[in-house]
Amino acid sequence: MMMHKIAEYSNELKLLLYGIFIYLEMDAEIVKVLFYLMVLDTFLGIVKTIVLNNPFSFKKLALGFVSKLAVLLIPTALALMSKGLNYNFKWFVTIVMDLLIVSDGISIISNIIAIKTKKEVENFDAMTLILKSIRNRLIQLFKRILITIDPKYHIEE
């Protein structure tokens, strides 16, 4: 029932998303590429699970896909922060999108290798490193803003 409603309003949802990306000055084509890479990575992850005879669950699949989609919120949040602070983060948003694309590309290649060799491949967790780096950069920016507002603010090293 819910999937039917979503399918019924898919064009409106696409329009809304494109509107958000245009407002935030994000490249909708890059977002589309990232989304397709995430779908391909998820599909190859399912194939890898079957080939390696690992236990498969729809709950794990759904959680994995939702977490991948949540990753799209990172550049969106950065772009919203940029708008809200009237600060040009566009270059940072683009770099984050590029890193997310590379990260998914690495994951896809790892899945293909695992499928071909029928052995688990140690996956480099680029996503966690990217998220930690973004967080640290934003904290540094926030501290600089605090110093600008109040020069007496002391930054703990």
Side-chain angles (χ1 to χ4, degrees), residues 44-61:
L44 288 171
I46 293 168
V47 172
K48 178 183 88 170
T49 299
I50 294 167
V51 167
L52 298 179
N53 288 323
N54 290 338
F56 177 82
S57 79
F58 282 102
K59 182 179 178 183
K60 187 175 178 184
L61 172 66

Side-chain angles (χ1 to χ4, degrees), residues 41-92:
D41 185 37
T42 301
F43 172 75
L44 288 171
I46 293 168
V47 172
K48 178 183 88 170
T49 299
I50 294 167
V51 167
L52 298 179
N53 288 323
N54 290 338
F56 177 82
S57 79
F58 282 102
K59 182 179 178 183
K60 187 175 178 184
L61 172 66
L63 287 173
F65 197 68
V66 167
S67 73
K68 281 192 169 290
L69 287 178
V71 166
L72 287 174
L73 294 176
I74 296 164
T76 306
L78 290 171
L80 275 170
M81 288 169 54
S82 176
K83 282 280 191 193
L85 297 172
N86 201 20
Y87 195 79
N88 187 359
F89 274 177
K90 189 172 183 178
W91 60 272
F92 192 51

